[in-house]
Amino acid sequence: MTENKKLLLLPGDGIGPEVMAEVRRVITWLEQNRELAFDVEEDLVGGCCYDAHGVAVTDATIEKAKAADAVILGAVGGPKWDGVAYAARPEAGLLRLRKDLELFANLRPAICFDALVDASSLKSELVSGLDIMIVRELTGGIYFGEPRGITDLPNGERRGVNTNVYDTHEIVRLVRVGFELAKKRRGKVTSSEKSNVMESGLLWREETMKVHAEEYPEIEFENMLADACAMQLVRRPKQFDVIVTDNLFGDMLSDEAAMLTGSLGMLPSASLGAKGADGRQAGLYEPVHGSAPDIAGQELANPIATILSFAMALRYSFDRGGEADLIEKAVEAVLDGGLRTADIMQDGMTKVSTSVMGDAIVKQMDKLAN
Ligand code: IPM
Ligand code: MG
């Protein structure tokens, strides 16, 4: 008997709890139909945690997350907490999880499902078959650099400061993840920075080129300035395979890439740490979309991104690629069958609620498996 897998679910705020409820159904299906057993715990993060404890994540939850084999997160934030200080904002809970678990590599696939080609704001021939992987640095750069803050100046003005700082090892370990992924994909890596104006960008470029030359000469490689990359993503997105980039540019480029696919509601992500000597690797999985407070509690949210995030957990944390494939195939089949949540609704399709979508995916897993 192998030990049960430890899963920590952090539904968070807004639509987070609704979409996480559908993940629970997928977990139940796997337990009933596959030799898989999970110890599932649930906890607070984000605004809901601030309301309960005055902080966006508690020390106890961080410890639970460290002990878990994988963490699945819904979404955090909402206008309710706009007035809260930065250190206690819902987003701070997510940032602390990333930092404390040392989840330096954020994998954000942008895949265009055939059934949704027309939902993209780009012409269908530009996005049909699109499959990009953005690898975003997640524990460094301007998100965490010191000095930072807002200070009062003698002249009565105020000054806001953030620092973009990268050390060699932070760049090297991140771009290696990108090169390794490219090996299993189409063998191309684009590294994106602003080496024309930023020293941190120049270092990024030099270190990345060195890793390429010394360790991955067989991989096709190019440097692309981040502004040009943003432009090329909407001009000819299929030129890309893997994009490696820093924390801030990765935040922006991944939202842009996500929109190419027709809906943010479709896209999962994985945030991974280094593999320890014992083979353990921290992993946090979350949809790319936010908490969408405007539609929360109305059964309008699309649960697919969170369900696909759980599929990524199966693939990367549990080595259960077969089950991950099954979930992904089930999602595709449900879309091919014409079911749509409001965010991806198109003429002639059937509009369904969050739970009907979750139900359909589980039923489809049943069908595909038996
Ligand atoms: C993301 C989000 C977060 C980020 C926010 C919620 C802190 O935009 O995961 O892309 O900026 O990293
Ligand atoms: Mg973002």
Side-chain angles (χ1 to χ4, degrees):
M1 263 299 278
T2 50
E3 246 180 85
N4 288 0
K5 320 254 183 225
K6 278 205 210 84
L7 256 183
L8 177 64
L9 306 185
L10 301 173
D13 308 316
I15 59 172
E18 292 158 65
V19 293
M20 194 63 80
E22 303 313 310
V23 170
R24 276 201 178 261
R25 296 163 82 163
V26 174
I27 294 171
T28 305
W29 187 92
L30 289 174
E31 291 191 315
Q32 288 169 351
N33 294 275
R34 290 283 196 266
E35 268 150 45
L36 263 173
F38 296 98
D39 289 333
V40 184
E41 264 202 85
E42 199 168 302
D43 214 330
L44 299 176
V45 69
C48 57
C49 186
Y50 176 80
D51 289 345
H53 303 292
V55 287
V57 66
T58 64
D59 294 346
T61 304
I62 293 283
E63 289 315 310
K64 271 189 211 166
K66 283 183 179 167
D69 294 307
V71 181
I72 318 288
L73 190 135
V76 297
K80 182 178 173 196
W81 301 282
D82 275 352
V84 176
Y86 269 114
R89 283 237 180 127
E91 290 78 3
L94 180 56
L95 295 176
R96 182 167 170 208
L97 276 163
R98 290 174 179 171
K99 192 74 179 170
D100 286 11
L101 272 66
E102 294 179 70
L103 305 167
F104 67 86
N106 183 212
L107 279 44
R108 297 194 163 181
I111 293 169
C112 190
F113 288 84
D114 285 341
L116 295 184
V117 164
D118 294 327
S120 172
S121 49
L122 292 195
K123 294 193 194 87
S124 57
E125 66 265 27
L126 287 180
V127 293
S128 133
L130 182 78
D131 178 359
I132 301 176
M133 178 69 90
I134 296 192
V135 182
R136 167 189 178 192
E137 201 290 325
L138 205 60
T139 50
I142 205 154
Y143 273 59
F144 297 97
E146 300 282 348
R148 66 181 300 160
I150 298 179
T151 51
D152 292 318
L153 297 178
N155 67 2
E157 290 192 17
R158 296 193 301 154
R159 175 174 290 161
V161 177
N162 291 92
T163 304
N164 200 37
V165 50
Y166 274 108
D167 292 355
T168 303
H169 76 274
E170 296 177 281
I171 300 168
V172 167
R173 67 182 178 182
L174 185 274
V175 301
R176 275 192 190 129
V177 172
F179 282 115
E180 289 297 329
L181 284 167
K183 270 192 194 169
K184 298 185 203 137
R185 296 169 49 94
R186 297 188 300 283
K188 181 177 175 190
V189 170
T190 304
S191 172
S192 189
E193 28 61 12
K194 281 288 285 179
S195 57
N196 53 345
V197 284
M198 295 162 71
E199 282 79 1
S200 54
L202 182 60
L203 185 78
W204 184 283
R205 181 186 170 108
E206 289 175 358
E207 296 298 341
T208 304
M209 288 175 74
K210 209 162 132 202
V211 172
H212 173 244
E214 288 173 4
E215 300 173 37
Y216 302 95
E218 75 284 8
I219 303 279
E220 190 188 337
F221 175 75
E222 65 183 349
N223 296 295
M224 194 180 281
L225 297 177
D227 53 347
C229 187
M231 182 272 284
Q232 290 294 345
L233 267 174
V234 286
R235 177 168 179 258
R236 214 162 46 81
K238 281 189 266 184
Q239 71 185 278
F240 297 105
D241 179 15
V242 175
I243 298 175
V244 294
T245 189
D246 78 6
N247 206 341
L248 183 61
F249 296 137
D251 183 42
M252 295 190 283
L253 294 175
S254 63
D255 261 25
E256 190 189 359
M259 204 51 225
L260 300 176
T261 69
S263 170
L264 267 175
M266 298 294 300
L267 294 179
S269 79
S271 304
L272 304 175
K275 241 193 200 112
D278 55 359
R280 285 197 72 211
Q281 181 179 30
L284 181 143
Y285 301 84
E286 57 177 318
V288 172
H289 65 69
S291 60
D294 52 321
I295 60 161
Q298 299 170 47
E299 276 280 315
L300 287 171
N302 185 348
I304 292 178
T306 314
I307 290 174
L308 291 177
S309 297
F310 177 63
M312 286 186 93
L314 289 167
R315 180 171 289 123
Y316 292 107
S317 286
F318 300 131
D319 203 16
R320 299 293 295 230
E323 280 76 18
D325 287 345
L326 176 66
I327 294 172
E328 288 162 4
K329 287 208 183 85
V331 167
E332 249 185 280
V334 167
L335 293 173
D336 288 342
L339 298 195
R340 299 285 187 273
T341 43
D343 57 314
I344 48 174
M345 184 55 193
Q346 292 161 288
D347 282 349
M349 301 293 150
T350 312
K351 190 159 151 187
V352 298
S353 67
T354 309
S355 55
V356 171
M357 179 56 91
D359 200 42
I361 291 168
V362 170
K363 286 205 178 104
Q364 192 63 47
M365 286 171 69
D366 235 12
K367 219 164 154 186
L368 290 169
N370 301 308

